[in-house]
Amino acid sequence: MMVLFPGEKPQYGICGRNEDNCAVVRLSVGDTWVTATTRLNRDGKRALGASRAKTAQLDADAFSRDRLCQRIVKLSFFKAAVAITGENPPWGAMTGIRPARLVTQMLEAGKTEAEAMKAMREEFFVSKERAQLCLSTARASMKAEKELRRDEISLYVGIPFCPTRCSYCSFVSASVQKTFAMIDPYLDALCEEVALMGPSVEKLGLRIKSLYMGGGTPTTLSAEQMDRLMCALEQAFDLRHLAEYTVEGGRPDTLNAEKLRVLKEHGVSRISINPQTMEDHVLQAIGRRHSAADVLRAMELAKQSGIPHINMDLIAGLPEDTPAGFRRTLDTCLALAPDNITVHTLALKKGSRIMLDGLKIPDAADVGEMLDYANAQLSAAGYVPYYLYRQKYMSGNFENVGWSKPGGEGLYNIYIMEELHTILSLGAGGSTKMVDPRVGRIERYYNCKFAKEYMEHPEKIQGDREKFEEFEQALLESYGKSEVSEGRSEAE
């Protein structure tokens, strides 16, 4: 409803069949079919949508039954709404965060790629272009999963500080202008958590597959502070088997040759430099204090550093941007030839300044034009989609897509988006996601949200450590020693 009727909010109750601006939704179970119908009345128009599934499918467990019923109810409303509006959204009836997961499940169940694409088009009404994005990212996910060992996890380290706060941001991060004195005490607390969790990983016999340092903007730290943190990580964790070591250098105005030298010396293999736009007036509108020229300078320094993989992040739909401006931005980034470019769609988050101040943003048609241009140009330049996710309240109901040259994929992005294995998160605002990939079981625990709160409650970390150890120990035991050993020999 919120996709097809933007700005609307549901009100639940009993309404008559002839009442305007209402939907009467029914679910009925017969001997052969379970059927959902939606009678939708909107501004004098009337439409009926129906969807059904075999009643025999209700014989599954309660969770599966609920999912099936939810699906056909959703499709019945979708069909009625499309009949009323005459518009079919690019993602059709799909509203989840990870649409590629459905394609992966189809392929793993034995469907061919053609059959999976047909199902996306005919059962979920997804556009051909979006279905193709799902197929490409499903391929990358299955390849990454096949290469994982059963005793591998990834590590996330959070640095919740930024030079300034961007107008689109609702992440928990603090401006260094206001909180500079907090950085060193925060690092003290973070290094204590690092020292506590490292032995747990070693005791469990786990190996770190990828390490991702995000935020905020980690390169807000000085070279000395970064060196201190990375030394602490090396002392607490065995990082010899890392396939990928990523640091977000998101703001080009936080990078210099000395910091990049520290990153390279500690084995960082991937850095993100995130201009979001190369239009100076748009940078000013979103609260950035750097220029497009600073991005060019940072990219040159990054290339000189010898760090092998560079990612650039862009956002389609920023305040004051236009399709022409976005085209100039993308063309400039393609000329810089990073091996990884992520194209985000602006998400209208409630806590952001865009929403609070009512900043002017491009409409859905303009955002669609931006994304269509990006998809065409990136494909032509040899980039391939490798991870994909969606968020609530995205402009035009579109998506975020990571594109890479072959071999430049960001593994951590795949692992966390496709929930392929456990991600242990350290630092304020971190969310540890413990995963049993065989059955899709996931448990989470959350670190304290704000840096000050995180520093004041070290006792919480001890309780979280016990949760982590309990889950991972049970998971390893459920695999069995022989199966884990087999997975190790295959991977090696």
Side-chain angles (χ1 to χ4, degrees):
M1 189 199 74
M2 291 188 289
V3 169
L4 287 154
F5 304 109
E8 299 282 349
K9 292 184 179 180
Q11 295 180 359
Y12 298 99
I14 304 299
C15 59
R17 291 179 57 173
N18 296 319
E19 185 176 335
D20 205 10
N21 294 321
C22 76
V24 179
V25 184
R26 287 192 172 91
L27 183 69
S28 60
V29 180
D31 293 337
T32 305
W33 298 100
V34 52
T35 304
T37 60
T38 295
R39 295 184 180 275
L40 181 60
N41 304 335
R42 173 75 172 182
D43 297 333
K45 297 180 180 179
R46 304 286 185 266
L48 173 66
S51 183
R52 65 181 187 176
K54 289 283 188 179
T55 304
Q57 294 178 259
L58 296 181
D59 292 337
D61 60 273
F63 177 77
S64 299
R65 288 197 302 272
D66 285 349
R67 290 291 296 271
L68 175 65
C69 292
Q70 289 167 11
R71 174 181 162 187
I72 63 173
V73 165
K74 178 172 72 171
L75 285 171
S76 75
F77 183 94
F78 174 81
K79 291 175 182 179
V82 168
I84 289 282
T85 64
E87 298 178 4
N88 187 20
W91 282 101
M94 300 201 71
T95 55
I97 295 172
R98 301 172 179 86
R101 174 71 61 80
L102 184 59
V103 175
T104 301
Q105 291 170 348
M106 292 180 191
L107 296 177
E108 290 177 341
K111 284 186 180 291
T112 65
E113 291 187 350
E115 289 170 338
M117 290 300 92
K118 183 178 179 181
M120 292 292 283
R121 299 292 311 282
E122 297 182 0
E123 296 179 27
F124 298 95
F125 307 97
V126 176
S127 73
K128 180 179 178 180
E129 294 75 16
R130 266 65 196 183
Q132 191 61 46
L133 287 177
C134 285
L135 177 58
S136 179
T137 53
R139 289 170 181 158
S141 173
M142 293 174 73
K143 180 177 182 292
E145 184 174 20
K146 185 177 180 180
E147 295 172 353
L148 276 175
R149 293 162 43 127
R150 297 182 180 92
D151 57 350
E152 288 177 325
I153 66 170
S154 288
L155 188 63
Y156 176 86
V157 181
I159 307 296
F161 302 98
C162 280
T164 58
R165 190 175 183 85
C166 294
S167 63
Y168 54 79
C169 184
S170 65
F171 284 109
V172 178
S173 60
S175 168
V176 170
Q177 293 174 307
K178 300 178 181 178
T179 59
F180 182 80
M182 193 184 294
I183 294 181
D184 275 327
Y186 175 78
L187 282 181
D188 290 340
L190 179 57
C191 288
E192 288 178 8
E193 185 181 11
V194 167
L196 183 69
M197 295 305 299
S200 290
V201 170
E202 181 180 9
K203 180 176 70 174
L204 291 163
L206 299 173
R207 290 179 30 160
I208 308 297
K209 179 71 169 181
S210 70
L211 194 161
Y212 193 104
M213 191 178 297
T217 306
T219 46
T220 301
L221 302 181
S222 68
E224 293 78 11
Q225 290 167 334
M226 185 68 75
D227 181 65
R228 175 192 171 195
L229 174 57
M230 290 184 153
C231 285
L233 288 166
E234 291 163 2
Q235 291 169 5
F237 296 96
D238 182 356
L239 303 180
R240 292 175 300 167
H241 305 292
L242 279 178
E244 176 184 88
Y245 195 159
T246 301
V247 173
E248 285 275 358
R251 300 288 193 94
D253 48 335
T254 66
L255 290 170
N256 57 39
E258 185 181 8
K259 290 183 187 180
L260 289 165
R261 176 186 57 79
V262 169
L263 300 185
K264 181 67 168 60
E265 288 178 351
H266 284 282
V268 170
S269 59
R270 188 170 182 269
I271 185 169
S272 290
I273 298 173
N274 304 334
Q276 314 303 11
T277 177
M278 295 295 282
E279 299 282 287
D280 283 338
H281 72 284
V282 180
L283 288 170
Q284 184 176 5
I286 65 175
R288 291 284 184 114
R289 292 195 172 181
H290 65 81
S291 66
D294 292 325
V295 178
L296 300 178
R297 175 192 60 81
M299 283 294 293
E300 184 59 31
L301 288 174
K303 291 178 180 179
Q304 293 173 2
S305 74
I307 294 173
H309 299 292
I310 301 175
N311 171 74
M312 299 184 79
D313 274 16
L314 307 178
I315 299 178
L318 288 171
E320 305 300 329
D321 206 0
T322 63
F326 183 83
R327 288 195 296 271
R328 287 191 293 269
T329 288
L330 183 69
D331 291 346
T332 300
C333 291
L334 285 172
L336 294 170
D339 61 359
N340 198 296
I341 296 178
T342 305
V343 181
H344 296 271
T345 300
L346 179 67
L348 302 174
K349 301 174 182 177
K350 294 180 181 178
S352 68
R353 189 163 58 82
I354 288 177
M355 297 299 288
L356 296 175
D357 295 352
L359 300 181
K360 180 183 177 182
I361 59 174
D363 62 22
D366 283 347
V367 174
E369 186 177 338
M370 295 174 185
L371 295 176
D372 288 344
Y373 183 80
N375 293 350
Q377 295 303 112
L378 286 162
S379 295
Y383 293 82
V384 178
Y386 76 94
Y387 87 105
L388 160 71
Y389 69 104
R390 302 175 67 214
Q391 296 167 271
K392 289 184 178 180
Y393 313 118
M394 298 185 81
S395 291
N397 190 40
F398 290 111
E399 68 282 327
N400 305 315
V401 183
W403 297 77
S404 75
K405 292 288 185 69
E409 298 86 357
L411 293 175
Y412 177 87
N413 292 327
I414 299 175
Y415 299 152
I416 192 166
M417 285 302 153
E418 299 305 317
E419 298 174 329
L420 298 184
H421 70 180
T422 291
I423 308 288
L424 172 61
S425 294
L426 309 178
S431 168
T432 290
K433 183 185 293 187
M434 300 173 291
V435 178
D436 182 346
R438 298 167 304 173
V439 296
R441 183 169 70 94
I442 296 172
E443 293 185 16
R444 294 176 174 85
Y445 66 77
Y446 300 89
N447 281 7
C448 293
K449 190 173 182 180
F450 300 100
K452 186 174 185 294
E453 180 187 15
Y454 171 81
M455 291 185 289
E456 291 174 347
H457 294 283
E459 73 283 354
K460 183 180 183 307
I461 296 172
Q462 180 60 50
D464 293 340
R465 178 192 188 188
E466 294 171 3
K467 295 176 188 175
F468 172 78
E469 289 185 357
E470 181 180 352
F471 182 97
E472 291 299 321
Q473 183 63 47
L475 179 61
L476 290 171
E477 290 175 357
S478 71
Y479 276 123
K481 292 183 179 179
S482 60
E483 191 175 353
V484 172
S485 299
E486 181 184 349
R488 288 174 177 168
S489 62
E490 287 175 359
E492 291 168 346

